[in-house]
Amino acid sequence: MPASYAYLGPEGTFTEVALRTLPEAATRELVPYVSVQSALDAVRAGEAEAAFVPIENSVEGGITTTLDELVAGAPLMIYREVLLSITFALLVRPGTKLSDIKTVSAHPAAQPQVRNWLKKHLPDAHWESAASNADAARLVQEGQYDAAFAGEFAAARYGLEALETGIHDAENAQTRFVLVGRPARPAAPTGADKTSIVLWQRDDHPGGLRDLLGEFATRGINLMLLQSRPTGAGIGNYCFCIDAEGHISDRRVADALMGLKRICLQVRYLGSYPRADVGPGDVQPPRLGTSDDEFTAAADWVARCQDGRF
């Protein structure tokens, strides 16, 4: 029996479409789960080799459900990412007209991406959130709602028709998906990589966030995502989810992580993996003084000073 990948289902989600772009997906059993939490829990329980879930979109930023699941519980690690361009279709039961629509449904992350369209074309329609866009389509098929925002490709799967297509408030909207598995040695660096971590401060003090960000800035590391999430320990208690350019094997990244480990209450490493937006030839070289060779030369100089050979 082939190893399985769990994904946010049911069948017909954008997540499934993005997952099928991975070459290794062709050799795995793809199993839909009802939520991000259940897909990730399947990995933690050993029921699936990995889970494929959305983590960020270009309209609203980080998807909090996924970030919170990676922050809490047994540690997991990101191995791959995929970017997918997103446009929605308004799926309805055959024969439904725009004037018939009183209720619409989709995943909560879809609402900010169609809000203006909805206000213009269906200002009186009541929004109902669903576990996924494909699940919203299923609920329309069952008659619970009048319309769903989902991928046009989901229409045939649920016996619906696309009343409107190409719906999006923001041009070139994209969603980022990640393949998540149990902790292991990260893949070798490609030269165009990303490292994801979660940071908890030791205490709340003026300049605390600046101290954390300074560990990256002094080493010339660009941040690609910075999002605070409540820890559940009371108002004002937050951790920080961060995506940084580079791989943990890069000296500047490893040095930054060591610095953060010294000053933070806790650091959770979520993996180093290839970037989906650029290739190795598109990445800017490290800033002056932050390349691996320069870190090695500096360490050698300190060693010579300690030996009296300066």
Side-chain angles (χ1 to χ4, degrees):
M1 182 177 180
S4 66
Y5 281 174
Y7 71 91
L8 175 61
E11 294 178 357
T13 57
F14 287 110
T15 306
E16 182 188 7
V17 171
L19 172 57
R20 291 187 181 277
T21 67
L22 293 178
E24 59 266 39
T27 63
R28 304 299 197 275
E29 179 188 9
L30 308 185
V31 182
Y33 281 75
V34 297
S35 66
V36 168
Q37 180 181 17
S38 60
L40 294 177
D41 282 346
V43 178
R44 290 186 170 112
E47 298 169 3
E49 177 187 354
F52 194 76
V53 293
I55 195 170
E56 181 185 6
N57 70 64
S58 58
V59 177
E60 286 287 285
I63 294 175
T64 56
T65 302
T66 302
L67 293 175
D68 290 347
E69 285 300 316
L70 293 176
V71 166
L76 292 171
M77 192 163 133
I78 299 171
Y79 288 93
R80 295 283 297 277
E81 70 173 11
V82 171
L83 295 178
L84 185 70
S85 296
I86 303 292
T87 61
F88 293 91
L90 186 68
L91 304 187
V92 298
R93 293 182 295 277
T96 302
K97 301 187 296 294
L98 204 62
S99 58
D100 298 328
I101 298 174
K102 308 302 180 187
T103 55
V104 296
S105 183
H107 187 275
Q111 189 175 23
Q113 302 181 62
V114 300
R115 184 184 294 125
N116 293 332
W117 189 96
L118 193 61
K119 182 179 179 180
K120 179 179 179 180
H121 297 280
L122 292 169
D124 298 322
H126 181 69
W127 176 278
E128 294 284 353
S129 292
S132 69
N133 300 314
D135 194 52
R138 180 186 64 80
L139 295 172
V140 171
Q141 179 191 43
E142 294 177 356
Q144 294 193 41
Y145 305 123
D146 298 324
F149 288 104
E152 186 177 358
F153 47 80
R157 171 66 180 80
Y158 294 100
L160 305 176
E161 61 182 27
L163 190 60
E164 300 280 348
T165 61
I167 299 171
H168 52 77
D169 288 351
E171 293 287 342
N172 304 314
Q174 290 183 310
T175 295
R176 181 166 70 102
F177 301 85
V178 288
L179 184 69
V180 180
R182 289 178 290 279
R185 181 182 294 274
T190 67
D193 301 289
K194 178 184 295 185
T195 293
S196 298
I197 58 174
V198 187
L199 305 176
W200 285 260
Q201 293 177 282
R202 289 189 184 277
D203 56 71
D204 186 18
H205 63 274
L209 180 57
R210 182 200 62 190
D211 294 342
L212 302 184
L213 300 182
E215 296 291 333
F216 297 102
T218 58
R219 296 166 178 86
I221 300 172
N222 189 41
L223 299 187
M224 308 177 74
L225 173 73
L226 171 62
Q227 185 153 338
S228 62
R229 296 302 303 149
T231 64
I235 296 294
N237 286 279
Y238 292 90
C239 61
F240 299 95
C241 301
I242 291 175
D243 288 345
E245 287 185 340
H247 192 280
I248 193 171
S249 66
D250 297 336
R251 292 289 298 270
R252 66 185 183 282
V253 175
D255 201 59
L257 294 182
M258 287 189 288
L260 291 165
K261 183 64 176 175
R262 291 195 301 270
I263 65 174
C264 289
L265 176 66
Q266 182 183 351
V267 178
R268 174 169 282 199
Y269 175 65
L270 295 179
S272 298
Y273 47 94
R275 290 172 57 178
D277 57 334
V278 297
D282 302 314
V283 176
Q284 293 294 320
R287 278 176 43 197
L288 182 65
T290 65
S291 70
D292 280 7
D293 287 345
E294 287 163 320
F295 266 94
T296 299
D300 289 344
W301 176 79
V302 170
R304 291 197 305 273
C305 291
Q306 292 170 332
D307 289 342
R309 297 183 286 112
F310 54 91

